[in-house]
Amino acid sequence: MLKRSALVLVLPLALLGVFPASAAVKASDIIQRAIDGFVRPAYASLHQHAEILTKAMHKLCEAPSQGGLGAARAEFSATVDAWSSAEIIGFGPIKDNNRLERMLYWPDRKSLGLKQVQAALSAKDPTATDPAQLTGKSIAMQGLGALEFVLYGDGADTLTGKDDPYRCAYGAAVAGNIESMAKDVNEAWNKPDGFAAIWANPGPQNPLYRDGNEAVTELVGVFINELEMVRDVRLKGFLGGKPEADKPKQAIYWRSQNTTTSLAGNLAGIDALFQASKLGDALPSDARWMAESIHIQLVNGVATAKSVQGPIDKVLADPALREKLEHFTLITSSLSTLIGTRLTAEFGLTAGFSSLDGD
């Protein structure tokens, strides 16, 4: 599994809660806006969609049908979309109890997680159908990847009938587990004395953020790390340098055709977070153009990803659609330079990082 949030920004100065670029902009205000304007709404949306998904799964199990399966699949896609935005905040409460990995075990290059899910379906272990007991099992069996296989993998057609109730019961348990994690993270971000208070109130006594620069470094790290994740891991993981090097089955959510939904959601989340935090207001006046340029490029990236629809193997086989994915790569590269090099330089931050360390 990939280690996220490994960004290290080398700070040349110890600052007392304000940016060197603009003393009128307090770091704590930027972080509070990021929390109130993006993080809390994003995880609240995820919780809401996860609740609806769980209900759809239970309804499917009670009355299996093609329509019920279609409804469950639609709610799965909606939950993936919500998660793709929220997941860019890969620190804080989502890290507690391995929730990040339990929510989405990916990439699974050696198919270890897939084999565990298939084994559970084959053995029909009754404890895997209990959300409470499922939390004690392998992380690969608990989240969106497992549920995607239940809904779209080999044997998923049995969900329209009553011949394989175990598969649906296990899927419902996974959905319930996702809902439980989303609920816990949503509540944690809203605790008055929780992680949000720690992040938004840097200081010498703060256990994580000794000054405003460290707090904002966490925020800037989200933009840099996630752009790198989207481009180098998620996109280039299946998009080869040449068509013959493509690996469609390495694409995230390839079974449910949510690959580009996820990529678009990631960039939409980055844009929403950047806008909500108003980080651009801390730039010197002659560098404010960066904020608008970042927004425009993120919007273009989202539109480009959304314009690519259908099974990812067919997308890759279509020169016109494949070209759009290559254009998406260029957009993310441009954004990485703009944020990781130019914006951080304006703030006096030096990005000396090895962002994503995979195994």
Side-chain angles (χ1 to χ4, degrees):
M1 293 295 291
L2 296 170
K3 299 173 184 176
R4 305 174 70 169
S5 301
L7 174 73
V8 176
L9 289 172
V10 180
L11 307 180
L13 298 172
L15 301 172
L16 299 177
V18 296
F19 276 108
S22 174
V25 179
K26 290 185 178 179
S28 57
D29 290 345
I30 290 174
I31 300 305
Q32 193 63 59
R33 288 195 292 263
I35 293 168
D36 293 338
F38 175 76
V39 181
R40 284 170 171 162
Y43 273 107
S45 175
L46 174 64
H47 181 209
Q48 181 182 31
H49 282 291
E51 280 186 315
I52 297 172
L53 172 61
T54 302
K55 289 177 182 176
M57 285 301 302
H58 282 294
K59 190 173 181 179
L60 173 64
C61 297
E62 291 165 5
S65 68
Q66 190 63 51
L69 177 57
R73 285 175 168 174
E75 297 307 335
F76 174 80
S77 294
T79 303
V80 165
D81 189 28
W83 166 249
S84 298
S85 181
E87 71 170 326
I88 68 170
I89 304 297
F91 57 93
I94 193 65
K95 290 290 288 182
D96 294 343
N97 301 318
N98 296 318
R99 289 184 184 124
L100 186 63
E101 293 79 13
R102 289 165 56 207
M103 188 70 80
L104 178 61
Y105 180 79
W106 192 92
D108 184 15
R109 296 190 178 96
K110 299 178 181 177
S111 299
L112 297 177
L114 173 63
K115 291 175 182 175
Q116 291 173 346
V117 171
Q118 290 173 321
L121 291 173
S122 176
K124 302 188 187 309
D125 175 8
T127 62
T129 61
D130 178 357
Q133 296 189 65
L134 185 60
T135 60
K137 296 185 179 298
S138 164
I139 58 175
M141 294 174 59
Q142 300 185 28
L144 291 166
L147 186 53
E148 184 190 38
F149 186 82
V150 169
L151 290 171
Y152 296 90
D154 293 342
D157 289 346
T158 62
L159 293 171
T160 61
K162 298 183 178 180
D163 293 340
D164 187 9
Y166 179 85
R167 187 182 187 104
C168 197
Y170 169 57
V174 174
N177 187 54
I178 292 170
E179 178 190 347
S180 178
M181 287 189 285
K183 175 178 180 291
D184 290 345
V185 175
N186 182 38
E187 290 179 349
W189 273 107
N190 283 284
K191 280 185 177 179
D193 58 347
F195 184 84
I198 295 174
W199 191 22
N201 294 282
Q205 304 305 316
N206 189 304
L208 296 178
Y209 308 104
R210 291 168 297 176
D211 54 44
N213 225 347
E214 290 190 355
V216 176
T217 293
E218 185 83 87
L219 176 65
V220 175
V222 171
F223 304 131
I224 298 173
N225 280 332
E226 289 307 311
L227 285 168
E228 188 174 352
M229 169 70 84
V230 168
R231 183 191 65 234
D232 292 347
V233 181
R234 295 201 169 171
L235 185 60
K236 292 186 178 179
F238 70 89
L239 179 65
K242 297 179 179 178
E244 53 267 33
D246 291 340
K247 300 176 181 177
K249 291 190 176 180
Q250 292 296 320
I252 191 169
Y253 304 122
W254 67 269
R255 289 185 176 85
S256 60
Q257 300 183 25
N258 279 309
T259 301
T260 54
T261 296
S262 174
L263 297 176
N266 290 155
L267 260 59
I270 292 172
D271 187 34
L273 177 61
F274 190 84
Q275 297 297 317
S277 69
K278 297 184 180 178
L279 183 63
D281 289 357
L283 287 164
S285 58
D286 62 352
R288 295 277 172 83
W289 61 270
M290 285 187 199
E292 184 62 18
S293 182
I294 289 168
H295 172 58
I296 290 172
Q297 293 199 47
L298 285 168
V299 169
N300 287 340
V302 172
T304 300
K306 286 185 174 180
S307 71
V308 180
Q309 299 291 325
I312 202 66
D313 57 340
K314 290 183 170 53
V315 165
L316 292 169
D318 185 324
L321 293 177
R322 196 174 184 286
E323 187 175 349
K324 289 186 177 184
L325 292 177
E326 291 172 342
H327 180 59
F328 184 86
T329 304
L330 295 177
I331 292 173
T332 54
S333 293
S334 176
L335 282 163
S336 289
T337 300
L338 192 55
I339 297 176
T341 302
R342 304 194 66 168
L343 184 136
T344 54
E346 290 292 341
F347 290 146
L349 309 176
T350 302
F353 60 91
S354 58
S355 179
L356 297 170
D357 179 15
D359 60 14

